[in-house]
Amino acid sequence: MRLLTICFCLLLLSGCASYGVIDNTPVTEATDVQPYSIAALSGRKGSGDIALTLAFSGGGTRAAALAYGVLEELRDTTVVIDGQPRRLLDEIDNISSVSGGSFTSAYYGLYGERIFEDFKDTFLRRDVESQLLHRLFNPLRWFSSKGRTEMAVELYEQEVFHDATYADMLHAGGPLIIINASDLGYGVRFSFVQEYFDLLCSNLLTFPVARAVAASSAVPILFQPVVIEDFHDCRNQGKPEWMQEAEKRAAKNPNPALEQILRGLETYSDKENRDYAHFVDGGITDNLGLRAVYDVMEFSGGPRLFYQQVGRSPPRYVTIISVNASTDPEPEMDQSTKQPSIKETISAMSNVQLHLYNEATLDLMQMSLAKWAQDISTPDFPIKPYFVKLGFIDIEQPEQRRFFNEIPTSFTLSEEQVNRLIEAGHELLRNNPDYQRLLHDLGGARLQTSSTPAMRQR
């Protein structure tokens, strides 16, 4: 009924023209203010002996809760570095996220460990869909030129992120948060970091975090794109140096995937024909949040050049934790001879494409991580890679796996669903063999907590 109500409202409003609100500002003259950029912030957290990157997938509140459980588990786990005990939570360098996972990453980036105090009530247990519907039905908004996405941005700003900007994220001092969206016009994956905002001649520090999260989670049709202006006057004329260098490397050593991304990003330089960019759900171009990590390393020319550019010595342990909240529910159509509905058909087709692309991304990252570690290893300083893949497919009990696979992609879940997703994040990470290998190599131990196992046989 909730979905039917939303669709009915969309039909009523489809004839009303709406316009995106422009909330980004142009780059001004050069200043000494530190940008919110990959080059400036990669590796500012942690001890330096371990590089720890998290990738949070899309999937609505389901993804946000699973990612939150992983953060709690990292908080509760200590390792030994340079003879000193340290929590793995404090070793996080970067978090790359899309869609639902971006709510968790952005909140942690802004508020740090406050996330463990109030994020459950602030977002995970909040009935976001009902609040959005309430705003949609408000008669005062019926004749407004602001669209549905603007209502979502207002809600996220007021109730979750409290009008915070990327300047606030910078001052929080946490790990680099890379929120990813998709350019609807050109199919380009776009990251909310200053390197990408330089292509728009825009200043990320003044941009609202809620608007970036709204773009990352704006499912097409249900939500309109977040619109950002592509300013014509740049502080520095021409393409950024990192892009020029990436183009030279692509010309010397052809890489079709890298070349395609560069062609898409080059469209932002066409100032005569591009005045604006329209951003939607990051899951369209990468539902795992891993491609941004891959692109950063490839754009930099490999791990050795990357660590030189960010002013960091190569770490001994390189770890990527992929938190994948995608589901694989059993199709109801196979239980009878009744022909599947249009909705079931579209959903099945989308799931096939999503899972195939996810698997290709996971394979790419696993092979690339091993190659990156090999490239910077020396006989005297071997680099150990750890690719930790977490997903519901790893749950052994069929009934437990079915429970999680049937949780919808929604921004309203029951308290039981949220609690069990959080515990699933704990246990999937704790029981992962590659994670256990990392803890063994680092002399790790898990602190005792009073949490209740959620994946036991029920």
Side-chain angles (χ1 to χ4, degrees):
M1 286 302 298
R2 186 190 300 272
L3 180 61
L4 289 174
T5 303
I6 293 174
C7 292
F8 177 71
C9 293
L10 296 183
L11 286 173
L12 288 178
L13 298 175
S14 61
C16 303
S18 60
Y19 298 88
V21 173
I22 302 302
D23 208 359
N24 64 308
T25 59
V27 170
T28 56
E29 293 300 319
T31 66
D32 294 331
V33 177
Q34 185 182 43
Y36 196 86
S37 67
I38 295 169
L41 302 181
S42 288
R44 71 170 175 176
K45 291 282 287 182
S47 62
D49 207 24
I50 176 175
L52 178 55
T53 294
L54 309 183
F56 294 163
S57 79
T61 302
R62 183 183 67 240
L66 188 68
Y68 173 84
V70 168
L71 288 179
E72 280 194 339
E73 183 66 20
L74 292 174
R75 176 201 61 188
D76 297 339
T77 304
T78 61
V79 294
V80 179
I81 297 178
D82 294 330
Q84 299 296 322
R86 290 179 61 89
R87 299 180 308 172
L88 270 180
L89 181 75
D90 300 321
E91 298 300 311
I92 299 173
D93 294 295
N94 315 290
I95 304 178
S96 174
S97 62
V98 295
S99 199
S102 292
F103 286 89
T104 305
S105 69
Y107 202 88
Y108 181 64
L110 279 170
Y111 305 117
E113 295 196 44
R114 173 178 147 186
I115 193 173
F116 304 122
E117 300 172 7
D118 58 16
F119 187 62
K120 294 178 186 178
D121 293 329
T122 298
F123 181 75
L124 296 181
R125 293 170 180 159
R126 181 183 294 273
D127 188 350
V128 175
E129 290 184 7
S130 290
Q131 289 186 277
L132 287 173
L133 277 175
H134 177 76
R135 290 170 182 248
L136 195 63
F137 276 119
N138 187 342
L140 297 177
R141 297 178 180 268
W142 289 355
F143 303 101
S144 171
S145 62
K146 294 183 180 180
R148 300 180 295 279
T149 294
E150 289 306 313
M151 298 180 193
V153 171
E154 290 177 5
L155 175 63
Y156 304 157
E157 285 191 326
Q158 294 170 8
E159 304 294 340
V160 184
F161 300 111
H162 310 293
D163 299 318
T165 66
Y166 271 87
D168 298 308
M169 187 96 81
L170 176 68
H171 296 150
L176 173 67
I177 307 298
I178 306 176
I179 295 174
N180 300 285
S182 303
D183 186 325
L184 186 60
Y186 288 85
V188 182
R189 187 197 53 73
F190 186 93
S191 298
F192 285 85
V193 290
Q194 187 58 52
E195 282 89 349
Y196 278 61
F197 259 55
D198 281 341
L199 302 175
L200 305 172
C201 304
S202 187
N203 180 12
L204 180 62
L205 288 179
T206 63
F207 196 73
V209 173
R211 193 167 291 275
V213 174
S216 182
S217 58
V219 178
I221 301 178
L222 285 178
F223 292 98
Q224 293 123 333
V226 168
V227 183
I228 297 179
E229 185 167 355
D230 187 358
F231 293 106
H232 289 201
D233 297 323
C234 284
R235 180 181 60 205
N236 299 315
Q237 297 298 323
K239 299 176 185 176
E241 183 178 353
W242 66 267
M243 191 170 176
Q244 296 180 43
E245 293 299 320
E247 289 177 339
K248 291 178 183 178
R249 285 189 291 269
K252 184 179 297 185
N253 300 301
N255 183 330
L258 182 60
E259 291 171 7
Q260 182 181 14
I261 296 169
L262 288 171
R263 283 195 300 271
L265 295 178
E266 193 171 359
T267 63
Y268 300 117
S269 300
D270 185 7
K271 303 300 182 181
E272 293 184 0
N273 297 308
R274 286 209 80 172
D275 294 320
Y276 303 97
H278 294 73
F279 295 111
V280 295
D281 193 342
I284 295 175
T285 48
D286 172 26
N287 196 51
L288 295 176
L290 286 169
R291 294 275 175 171
V293 181
Y294 174 82
D295 291 349
V296 166
M297 200 63 73
E298 292 300 309
F299 284 153
S300 301
R304 191 171 300 279
L305 285 176
F306 171 77
Y307 287 121
Q308 290 177 5
Q309 291 164 14
V310 301
R312 175 177 179 174
S313 300
R316 186 176 295 276
Y317 309 96
V318 182
T319 304
I320 297 176
I321 300 177
S322 171
V323 186
N324 179 10
S326 63
T327 58
D328 191 18
E330 297 177 359
E332 295 182 2
M333 68 179 77
D334 292 341
Q335 298 176 6
S336 74
T337 58
K338 181 181 177 181
Q339 293 290 0
S341 66
I342 294 177
K343 176 181 176 295
E344 289 176 316
T345 302
I346 294 175
S347 177
M349 293 169 59
S350 300
N351 283 339
V352 169
Q353 295 298 321
L354 175 66
H355 286 292
L356 287 175
Y357 191 59
N358 282 354
E359 287 302 317
T361 297
L362 290 168
D363 289 342
L364 174 67
M365 284 303 305
Q366 186 154 14
M367 291 186 296
S368 298
L369 181 60
K371 180 179 181 300
W372 296 337
Q374 184 179 23
D375 289 346
I376 56 177
S377 289
T378 66
D380 296 329
F381 195 83
I383 308 299
K384 294 185 177 182
Y386 307 84
F387 187 47
V388 180
K389 298 182 291 184
L390 310 179
F392 300 132
I393 192 173
D394 300 318
I395 300 174
E396 295 182 359
Q397 302 92 337
E399 290 186 9
Q400 296 296 324
R401 189 167 58 249
R402 187 179 302 112
F403 172 85
F404 291 108
N405 278 322
E406 290 177 354
I407 297 177
T409 301
S410 165
F411 283 122
T412 298
L413 298 182
S414 69
E415 185 169 356
E416 180 193 10
Q417 289 171 327
V418 168
N419 290 341
R420 291 179 65 175
L421 282 163
I422 292 171
E423 290 300 331
H426 278 270
E427 296 195 25
L428 285 171
L429 180 58
R430 189 186 312 150
N431 298 328
N432 181 276
D434 290 296
Y435 182 71
Q436 291 176 345
R437 181 168 59 91
L438 172 67
L439 294 186
H440 177 269
D441 292 346
L442 290 173
R446 186 177 185 277
L447 302 178
Q448 295 298 318
T449 65
S450 59
S451 59
T452 303
M455 296 168 62
R456 64 171 182 257
Q457 192 67 37
R458 292 173 184 260

